[in-house]
Amino acid sequence: MTERLEQLHDTLAASRAEVNKVILGQDDVIDATLIVILARQHALIEGVPGVAKTLLARTLAHVLGCEFARIQFTPDLMPADITGTNIFNFARNEFTLVRGPVFTSFLLADEINRAPAKTQSALLQAMQERTVTIDRETHALSENFTVFATQNPIEYEGTYPLPEAQKDRFLLKVPISAPDRDHELELATRMLGANAPEACLERGDVSAVLAAGELGKAREALADVSMRDEITGYIVDVIRRTRTHESVLVGAGPRATQALVVSSRAHAAIAGRDFVTPDDVKAMAIPVLEHRLILRPEFEIEGMTSAEAVQKILESVAVPV
């Protein structure tokens, strides 16, 4: 293992430990979001209210030395509320750009499916190109620009489903469920004193592992994680199988192939290895593919989920040795 890959592993372990001071009982979720950040991509976080989706994004921003901004998506939200707009300055007799919350590093798009498609589309250019266009002028966003979009999986009244093109921009779909009894008991106990999770973060009990601008250097270590040709071929075969499986109406595109490659590499780095194994691919297949597949109606009626379809696809593809 190279020196910079060892440093990356230490950084990720320290980051996980700091986030765990605030986020209780969500180790898999923390690892998934770290993979998204390490891969320089975006996450679609799904969970009922009160499971610390916003707090997770705020804590990650603090730990990794990044700026944080939050947008509450509502039906009356306009694209300019996200990107910003030019306002005429009478004192200077010129237009001045008032930047929107998209000009940040970590952006929480809270309940993204509550805004109509026109407003949701304001994020498409930012997510794909890390730029925004305002009055025909293009502005660059932060190199660390990452969207954490949240949605409620049980309340669909008054929502606008995300279009397939936008869902495809999210590297992973990260479900968050309630913590187990022991962690929820710990949370309740901490609320009785001065160690509530939000209070710990505000008080500065959580340390920053990286300084501003260091995240890009940490990502460079991913290049030291090797992937055998057989593993690359396995990834391609899994993605191509989604297009022919009997339960799938619309399979994953080439962007899903890229997503599974980079996420498997990041998963190996978090595990402390400098090579990718088939188990890394299997671990990332469901979060990478679940939100990208459209099942056939007859299978949906029978109760099959996208995650179950991905599992069946994995079982049908030969694993390299």
Side-chain angles (χ1 to χ4, degrees), residues 254-312:
R255 188 179 283 116
T257 306
Q258 297 172 302
L260 193 50
V261 167
V262 298
S263 60
S264 298
R265 215 175 190 185
H267 188 272
I270 284 185
R273 283 182 278 103
D274 60 356
F275 58 92
V276 179
T277 69
D279 287 339
D280 293 315
V281 178
K282 291 179 180 179
M284 301 312 303
I286 290 178
V288 165
L289 295 173
E290 182 180 5
H291 59 293
R292 289 181 161 95
L293 304 184
I294 299 178
L295 300 185
R296 294 188 180 278
E298 57 268 31
F299 285 88
E300 285 189 312
I301 291 173
E302 292 177 1
M304 175 178 281
T305 64
S306 295
E308 291 171 343
V310 173
Q311 189 60 47
K312 289 184 177 296

Side-chain angles (χ1 to χ4, degrees), residues 15-59:
S15 300
R16 188 190 295 115
E18 292 299 322
V19 175
N20 274 325
K21 293 179 181 179
V22 176
I23 306 299
L24 306 178
Q26 301 288 358
D27 291 346
D28 291 342
V29 172
I30 294 171
D31 284 350
T33 50
L34 286 174
I35 287 171
V36 169
I37 295 167
L38 194 58
R40 198 169 172 261
Q41 295 293 322
H42 313 282
L44 179 61
I45 303 176
E46 189 172 85
V48 298
V51 290
K53 299 185 293 292
T54 302
L55 185 59
L56 172 63
R58 283 181 56 206
T59 306

Side-chain angles (χ1 to χ4, degrees), residues 2-20:
T2 63
E3 181 180 350
R4 65 177 183 176
L5 196 54
E6 289 179 351
Q7 292 176 348
L8 174 61
H9 183 250
D10 293 342
T11 297
L12 292 172
S15 300
R16 188 190 295 115
E18 292 299 322
V19 175
N20 274 325

